[in-house]
Structures are given as C-alpha cells and as structure tokens.
C-alpha cells in the first residue's frame, strides 16, 4: 500500500517501514508494552502503554535518526551531519551518528535543560548553544549546513525519519494484535505519520488518534485549512511536541491517515505525568504523557483495547519538580488557606491538632503576628497542605470551620 507524500520525495510505502525495522534490529530496542489497570477501568476496556520512554536515549527519536543517517552516501557521511533540537532529537542524532561513525554537530537553544545538553555530548556530538528559541536554533543549524556541507537531519520531515518512527506501529501490531485504538502525541507529525502508515496498511480498522498540547496545536487549524498553517506563538511545557507548524511531508500523511487530532491542557498534562509516576511507575516527559492526558480527559470516547504511546522519558529534574507540584494542584492534592486565631500559648498547637485529626499533611506554615490588619490579640496563619484529593480538601476546610476558625482559601 502506498501513501502520498509531497515534494521531491517518492511516496512512503509499508515496505519502507519494514526495511527500517530490519535496519534497526540490534540498534533500537523493541520496547515493552505495559497494561494499566487504572486507565483500563476508566476507559472500560484494556489500555496498554507502549514504553518508548525506555528506548535508548529515552525516546523514539533514535529510530528515525539512525535510519536517516544510515541511508547517507559515503560522501555525505564524510561531510558529517548537523541537527537542531532542544533534547530528544539531539540525543537520537548523537547516538546514531556515533554508532555509524559519522561526525555530528548539534545546535541546542541556550536555555536547553543541562541534563539533555550533557547527554547529547556524552553520546558523541559536538554541541553548540545558539538561539533563545528552537526556530533560532534551527536557523543556525541550517546556516551551518550550508557553510560546511554537513547534512541537515530534520527532526520529522523526511521519509527516512518517518519510516524509522513507523517501526513503533509495527511493534504495536505485533505486541497487541487486538488493538482497536492507538493514541500518540503529535508535534511535527513524524511519529504519528509513521505509525499511521504502518497501521493503516495492515489494519485499516484501527483508529489512530493524535494528541497536541493546546498551546502548540498547529494541526487543527492546518487540517481545517487543508494545508500546513504556522502558529503565531507556541507555549507549552511539552517541549517534545512544541512545534509551530506541521511538516510538508508529515501533514498530508496525518491528514489522510490519522482519524482525529485532539488537544489537551497544561493541567491535563500535569495530571497525566502524576498518574504515570504514581500508577504506572513510569518517568515520562510531558510530550510522552499527552496520550494519557487525552485518555483522562474523555476516557469513554476511546474504543478498546487502546495503546497509548509514551514517546519519551527525558524529564529535566527541575521541570519534574514543578510539573508534579502543578499536577498535584490540578488533581486537588494541595490545599492553600489562611485563617485567624487568638494569639495565645497553645493556639497554634490546637489548630495543628485539628489538622492532624483531619489527616492533612502540613507542607509549609507561616505564622504572622505583626500585620496592622490584625487585632491586638490576633494572629494569622497561612498553610500549605497535602491532601488526598478534592473531597478531602473540603473535609479539611470543614473541620477547621467546625473548630471555630475563619477559613479563607
């Protein structure tokens, strides 16, 4: 079966992806498939997680990068390769180049997370920090390619890249032949397009659902317009899918083969990350958690069995700390409130005893006596509490009110 691509490249066919799978044998891992009882209960059908977060370099990007670089001519290999990325593609290109004995230069934004910069260097690439945003970094890499003759390795818009990513689709069909819905995050569209080509050629009945972050959702307006449309700005913590314009090659494939593209909010991404960590014991980056976010937002709309692709696990520890806090807030697991009490010995201890009975964990407490708004015998306490969920938050606030405190949330 043949599917359309535009531009100077030949059509992408299933045999291209099968060839990529053979090329990747012994290079990329056949990542595992883990069942999720919690998500299965929500969806009302089996839900499996395709764990590309456990792939070498921590994401699916190695697959496409290796196939692309392995397909270069000896002359092109001798010139070296260059790429631009904030993290996952950078590491995929760096490792693939090292495995194939090709010199690689990777441009990364100045503010790229330090662990990703360090990992890219350790995989063997020369790293250059250029630009404040990825678009500036991309321009610097393309300028370098023109000046030096190095081959530019696009993160998603090349047939070899799409074919390499499509091997994820072949593995899903092999590991879960009964699958009825595949949910996958979309940035530029390389992974979704590759999976869709493989799956629709072999199982046209399987529904493929793409997921974008609401703050970087270029595909919905592009699909409405019938051609790639660039967003004026993009804003999301999900760096792996933070792309402002669909690819010229990936767009027609997504348009033809992906059944639906949904969007998820930052709160939904945070909640999905928290669920992956707590319930699945998986460290997943925001982009990788986007399919789980879609399942959480509307679980009954998916036909099962469902496979959700956890596309990456390269999570910056500092971002993880912020995101998990945000996720707990979104899930109703944190409660912040202020209350006034009589400024006398034992008053604070009595209030804390009330919280203890209510089974709330105090994370932080601020005790103010000198605010001019307070009466002579008053003190104000600001509390940050860890709770068990929205219902428990209300129970804690009610317990404090019942004890005679004026509570302000």
């Amino acid at each position: 079966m043949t599917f359309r691509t535009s531009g100077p490249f030949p059509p992408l066919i299933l045999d291209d992806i099968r060839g990529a799978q053979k090329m990747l044998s012994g290079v990329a891992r056949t990542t595992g498939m883990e069942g999720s009882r919690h998500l299965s209960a929500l969806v009302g059908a089996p839900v499996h997680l395709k764990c590309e977060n456990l792939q070498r370099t921590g994401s699916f990007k190695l697959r496409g990068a290796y196939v692309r670089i392995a397909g270069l001519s000896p002359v092109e290999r001798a010139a070296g390769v260059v790429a631009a990325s904030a993290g996952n593609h950078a590491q995929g290109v760096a490792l693939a180049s090292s495995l194939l004995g090709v010199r690689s230069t990777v441009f990364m934004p100045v503010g790229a997370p330090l662990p990703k910069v360090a990992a890219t260097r350790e995989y063997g690439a020369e790293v250059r920090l250029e630009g404040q945003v990825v678009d500036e970094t991309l321009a610097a890499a393309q300028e370098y390619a023109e000046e030096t003759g190095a081959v530019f390795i696009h993160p998603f818009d090349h047939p070899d890249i799409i074919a390499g990513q499509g091997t994820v689709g072949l593995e899903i069909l092999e590991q879960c032949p009964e699958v009825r819905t595949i949910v996958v995050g979309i940035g530029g569209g390389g992974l979704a397009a590759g999976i869709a080509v493989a799956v629709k050629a072999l199982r046209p009945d399987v529904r493929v659902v793409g997921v974008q972050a609401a703050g970087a959702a270029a595909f919905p307006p592009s699909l409405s317009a019938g051609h790639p449309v660039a967003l004026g700005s993009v804003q999301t913590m999900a760096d792996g899918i933070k792309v402002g314009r669909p690819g010229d090659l990936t767009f027609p494939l997504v348009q033809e083969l992906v059944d639906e593209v949904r969007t998820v909010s930052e709160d939904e991404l945070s909640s999905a990350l928290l669920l992956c960590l707590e319930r699945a014991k998986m460290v997943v980056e925001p982009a990788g958690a986007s399919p789980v976010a879609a399942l959480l937002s509307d679980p009954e709309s998916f036909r099962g069995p469902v496979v959700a692709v956890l596309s990456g696990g390269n999570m910056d520890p500092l971002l993880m700390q912020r995101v998990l806090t945000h996720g707990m807030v979104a899930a109703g697991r944190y409660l912040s409130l202020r209350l006034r009490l009589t400024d006398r010995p034992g008053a604070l201890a009595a209030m804390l005893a009330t919280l203890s009975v209510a089974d709330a964990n105090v994370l932080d407490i601020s005790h103010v006596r000198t605010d001019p708004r307070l009466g002579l015998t008053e003190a104000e306490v600001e509390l940050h509490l860890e709770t068990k969920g929205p219902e428990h938050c209300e129970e804690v606030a009610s317990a404090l009110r019942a004890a005679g405190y004026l509570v302000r949330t």
Side-chain angles (χ1 to χ4, degrees):
M1 185 175 291
T2 302
F3 297 104
R4 296 191 301 269
T5 55
S6 60
F9 301 107
L12 189 68
I13 60 177
L14 177 62
D15 286 346
D16 295 327
I17 299 177
R18 285 179 166 152
Q21 188 176 44
K22 292 179 181 178
M23 187 180 296
L24 289 168
S25 178
V27 176
R29 297 183 180 124
T30 300
T31 51
M33 190 90 74
E34 297 288 338
S36 171
R37 286 184 293 179
H38 181 74
L39 290 173
S40 297
L42 290 177
V43 172
V47 175
H48 306 280
L49 306 175
K50 176 61 171 168
C51 301
E52 281 296 290
N53 58 311
L54 302 180
Q55 184 56 262
R56 296 179 71 179
T57 74
S59 87
F60 70 95
K61 289 288 191 177
L62 172 65
R63 297 173 183 263
Y66 188 90
V67 173
R68 173 76 174 99
I69 297 170
L72 298 178
S73 69
V75 173
E76 290 172 322
R77 290 193 187 195
V81 300
V82 61
S85 168
N88 288 345
H89 180 58
Q91 293 174 70
V93 168
L95 178 57
S97 299
S98 293
L99 293 173
L100 292 164
V102 177
R103 185 179 71 259
S104 63
T105 303
V106 175
F107 285 75
M108 304 181 76
V110 172
L114 293 179
K116 292 186 178 182
V117 174
T120 303
R121 287 188 172 123
E122 289 173 6
Y123 286 128
E126 177 189 347
V127 174
R128 299 192 180 191
L129 301 178
E130 295 279 352
Q132 299 298 321
V133 296
V134 174
D135 287 344
E136 295 174 358
T137 307
L138 183 64
Q142 291 172 326
E143 182 179 351
Y144 176 88
E146 293 173 1
E147 292 175 352
T148 65
V151 179
F152 179 68
I153 307 299
H154 199 283
F156 52 84
D157 217 25
H158 191 279
D160 290 344
I161 296 288
I162 299 170
Q165 321 307 28
T167 60
V168 175
L170 295 182
E171 289 180 15
I172 289 173
L173 295 182
E174 293 164 1
Q175 294 170 314
C176 185
E178 68 277 13
V179 63
R180 298 182 69 188
T181 304
I182 296 173
V183 191
V184 56
I186 298 185
L191 179 61
I195 288 176
V197 169
V199 169
K200 292 295 186 178
L202 296 170
R203 287 279 309 280
D205 60 302
V206 173
R207 186 171 176 81
V208 179
V209 178
V211 183
Q212 291 207 288
F219 268 93
S222 298
L223 292 170
S224 296
H227 58 82
V229 173
L231 298 177
S233 63
V234 290
Q235 187 61 48
T236 177
M237 64 176 148
D239 287 344
I241 53 175
K242 190 177 181 180
V243 179
R245 182 186 184 278
D248 291 328
L249 298 183
T250 59
F251 175 76
L253 293 172
V254 171
Q255 182 182 43
E256 181 179 358
L257 301 173
V258 173
D259 297 280
E260 180 185 3
V261 176
R262 301 188 180 195
T263 62
V264 292
S265 68
E266 299 297 285
D267 281 351
E268 287 166 338
L269 286 169
S270 297
S271 296
L273 283 168
L274 189 61
L275 183 141
C276 287
L277 187 62
E278 288 190 325
R279 297 301 185 104
K281 315 307 177 191
M282 290 283 179
V283 175
V284 183
E285 63 188 90
S290 59
V292 175
L295 292 175
L296 290 175
S297 67
D298 191 9
E300 297 179 356
S301 66
F302 293 90
R303 294 186 309 164
V306 177
V307 173
V309 181
L310 306 183
S311 58
N314 289 315
M315 187 67 163
D316 177 26
L318 295 177
L319 176 61
M320 176 182 285
Q321 183 179 18
R322 295 197 301 270
V323 167
L324 290 181
T325 299
H326 186 78
M328 292 185 75
V329 171
R333 299 274 295 279
Y334 281 151
L335 175 62
S336 297
L337 49 83
R338 291 179 297 156
L339 51 87
R340 290 188 181 184
L341 45 76
T342 302
D343 188 14
R344 58 176 175 78
L348 184 59
M351 182 207 64
L352 293 174
T354 301
L355 291 173
S356 178
V357 172
D359 202 21
N361 183 34
V362 178
L363 298 174
D364 188 35
I365 183 169
S366 176
H367 190 206
V368 178
R369 294 187 177 92
T370 57
D371 193 311
R373 294 171 298 176
L374 297 174
L376 182 62
T377 60
E378 287 184 319
E380 185 174 76
V381 175
E382 183 175 349
L383 293 164
H384 298 279
L385 309 173
E386 181 182 2
T387 64
K388 300 174 184 177
E391 292 182 0
H392 189 214
C393 287
E394 185 54 39
E395 291 172 5
V396 172
S398 296
L400 288 168
R401 292 187 184 102
Y405 298 104
L406 176 61
V407 177
R408 298 175 182 175
T409 56

